[in-house]
Amino acid sequence: MNVVEFLKENDQVSKWLNIDVVEAKEGYVCTQMTVRKGMLNAAGVCHGGVIFSLSDYTFAIASNIYGNVALAISANINFANAAKEGDVLIAKAKELNRTRKLGIYVITVERESDNKLIAVFNGEVFIKSESILKR
């Protein structure tokens, strides 16, 4: 079993959100998710926590894809535009820097239909020596 399969099988939040992995390789990951009614906030737009979770899962794949456990030590998100029910959101993670112990990533979330920027997520991980697959 590879890291992507392991995370898909064991990450319960990503299953609940129905996030699909489109592409995953060292340095780059692309995922997608469709906004459902149960993901909307009181204003009728996609809840920020859902967009954060999509970004965070994409971040997790990107940072753990090498096989070592990588755990977030910081993460933030900036929202640019709202997403609505039925929108397909595309999250793309890019590795900005990785050392033996730290990794820095940026994840952009766009609406598939018009490539409109929805959010930008930045995260940093601490990389452990243990394998993610032995958990």
Side-chain angles (χ1 to χ4, degrees), residues 17 23 25 38 51 75 77 80 102 104 115-116 123 126 130 132:
L17 292 173
E23 183 179 357
K25 60 185 180 183
I51 297 168
I77 194 164
L102 297 173
I104 300 172
N115 297 322
K116 187 143 198 137
F126 176 75
E130 67 187 88
I132 186 78

Side-chain angles (χ1 to χ4, degrees), residues 106-121:
V106 64
I107 294 83
T108 56
V109 179
E110 296 178 347
R111 183 171 35 238
E112 182 183 50
S113 63
D114 60 3
N115 297 322
K116 187 143 198 137
L117 182 67
I118 302 300
V120 178
F121 173 107

Side-chain angles (χ1 to χ4, degrees), residues 47-125:
H47 194 287
V50 170
I51 297 168
F52 187 96
S53 293
L54 168 64
S55 302
D56 190 47
Y57 180 63
T58 308
F59 172 45
I61 295 171
S63 60
N64 282 280
I65 201 161
Y66 295 88
N68 292 77
V69 174
L71 300 171
I73 55 176
S74 70
N76 67 36
I77 194 164
N78 296 95
F79 299 103
N81 291 286
K84 297 182 179 174
E85 184 178 357
D87 284 349
V88 175
L89 301 181
I90 307 294
K92 296 177 182 177
K94 181 179 177 187
E95 184 177 275
L96 299 181
N97 191 63
R98 188 175 177 100
T99 66
R100 190 171 59 83
K101 291 288 184 186
L102 297 173
I104 300 172
Y105 297 81
V106 64
I107 294 83
T108 56
V109 179
E110 296 178 347
R111 183 171 35 238
E112 182 183 50
S113 63
D114 60 3
N115 297 322
K116 187 143 198 137
L117 182 67
I118 302 300
V120 178
F121 173 107
N122 294 285
E124 183 176 17
V125 292

